[in-house]
Amino acid sequence: MCLVVIAYRVHPEFPLVVVSNRDEFFERPTEPLHRWEVSPKIIGGKDLKAGGTWLGVSSLGKLAFLTNVRNLKKPPHPKPKSRGGLVLDFLNSSKDLNSDKYREEVLRTAQDYEGFNLFVFDGEVASFVGGDPLESEILEPGFYAVSNANWKTAWPKTEKLKSSVKQAFDAITKDSRWISTVSKEFFRFLADSELVKEDSLLPDTGLGMEKERYLSSIRIRVPGYGTRASTLVFYGKESVEVVERTFSDPLSNEFTERREVLEFNET
């Protein structure tokens, strides 16, 4: 997953709302949003190459997502573990392992992975760990955005999406059909493929300016690579609803939409 905005304890009925795009090579085998028949129950997509996931929610009320940190100026990790396992291990863990304890565990083993940003929420506390250099914190209520740099790094697309999401909250919070109404707006924001025109605003992660420009939009559209899924999560007090649009071609606007609802404490 490569671009995420969250609203943490902003809406009175939804302690957490996630608005996200997952960017990946289209040749990488992936199973889209579905219910995993495991215990505890999990809903999310699945990376069929390494077996993990980039975003998921469990019936114990645990939610986690991960983005990669892009820094090609550093030598690659010689034998990295799959970063998707960091998300899956938290979702599979017992109720006793809360987000803060898991954050501490990840801090001790972070050197085993290529760069990442990991967000974990246990229904009570939201925590973050990752970045380069490594950092972590317990989050206060508010809006946050992250892409392929350290948590809170202000790239043009992170600031653009966060601003749009905040405006939608202000405009639609009192709507009685809130999820349906705001989802249309969120998906519209996530479909924005406008590139950043000023090179001075682009990050320098070692790719070169031409490629940085191709990756500067909210929805990435490059032959063979780009936004494969746009995912919304509405984490309520007793259940979670996840809506996802998946694309089979980065250059096409056609999508398949899926929706899953998971009751917390479901066996």
Side-chain angles (χ1 to χ4, degrees), residues 22-265:
R22 181 204 180 210
D23 305 322
E24 182 56 89
F25 288 100
F26 275 69
E27 66 182 14
R28 188 174 181 113
T30 299
E31 193 169 356
L33 175 71
H34 66 286
R35 179 181 290 250
W36 298 29
E37 292 304 320
V38 294
S39 183
K41 293 288 189 299
I42 291 173
I43 53 175
K46 188 173 186 179
D47 173 23
L48 296 178
K49 181 177 180 179
T53 186
W54 55 96
L55 182 153
V57 191
S58 83
S59 56
L60 294 180
K62 295 187 174 187
L63 179 147
F65 67 74
L66 179 141
T67 74
N68 298 342
V69 172
R70 187 171 74 239
N71 185 358
L72 300 185
K73 297 178 179 181
K74 292 181 62 175
H77 195 295
K79 293 183 179 180
K81 291 183 177 180
S82 171
R83 289 169 286 200
L86 291 168
V87 174
L88 190 57
D89 286 348
F90 182 65
L91 299 179
N92 278 329
S93 65
S94 69
K95 195 74 173 177
D96 293 336
L97 185 63
N98 61 30
S99 64
D100 199 33
K101 289 179 182 177
Y102 189 68
R103 177 176 64 98
E104 294 295 331
E105 284 191 8
V106 173
L107 276 171
R108 291 192 292 270
T109 61
Q111 70 277 0
D112 295 337
Y113 303 87
E114 293 278 18
F116 64 86
N117 293 302
L118 177 67
F119 172 90
V120 287
F121 179 54
D122 58 20
E124 298 294 334
V125 176
S127 299
F128 156 78
V129 59
D132 183 15
L134 196 65
E135 58 186 8
S136 71
E137 66 176 283
I138 296 174
L139 299 187
E140 297 294 328
F143 292 91
Y144 298 87
V146 63
S147 185
N148 299 117
N150 279 29
W151 188 257
K152 301 181 195 174
T153 298
W155 284 1
K157 64 181 179 181
T158 62
E159 297 308 288
K160 185 178 186 180
L161 183 58
K162 182 170 70 171
S163 176
S164 297
V165 170
K166 289 176 69 174
Q167 290 177 22
F169 265 77
D170 293 340
I172 309 174
T173 298
K174 296 181 180 180
D175 193 304
S176 60
R177 298 176 64 250
W178 189 77
I179 289 182
S180 174
T181 304
V182 82
S183 292
K184 296 176 183 178
E185 288 296 283
F186 290 164
F187 279 128
R188 183 170 65 85
F189 303 151
L190 291 170
D192 184 351
S193 58
E194 182 181 19
L195 301 178
V196 173
K197 296 180 176 62
E198 295 183 40
D199 287 356
S200 61
L201 300 177
L202 297 173
D204 181 8
T205 64
L207 280 174
M209 283 298 104
E210 184 178 14
K211 290 183 179 178
E212 296 285 10
R213 193 180 307 113
Y214 291 153
L215 301 180
S216 67
S217 55
I218 290 174
R219 181 186 171 191
I220 297 173
R221 307 180 72 171
V222 180
Y225 180 86
T227 299
R228 292 190 61 174
S230 296
T231 308
L232 310 179
V233 180
F234 300 93
Y235 186 111
K237 297 175 181 179
E238 297 180 354
S239 64
V240 62
E241 180 173 339
V242 183
V243 188
E244 181 176 275
R245 291 181 176 179
T246 54
F247 306 92
S248 59
D249 185 326
L251 304 182
S252 172
N253 288 324
E254 295 184 2
F255 59 83
T256 300
E257 185 167 306
R258 298 171 177 83
R259 174 182 175 272
E260 291 284 349
V261 176
L262 185 65
E263 300 289 334
F264 296 143
N265 298 316

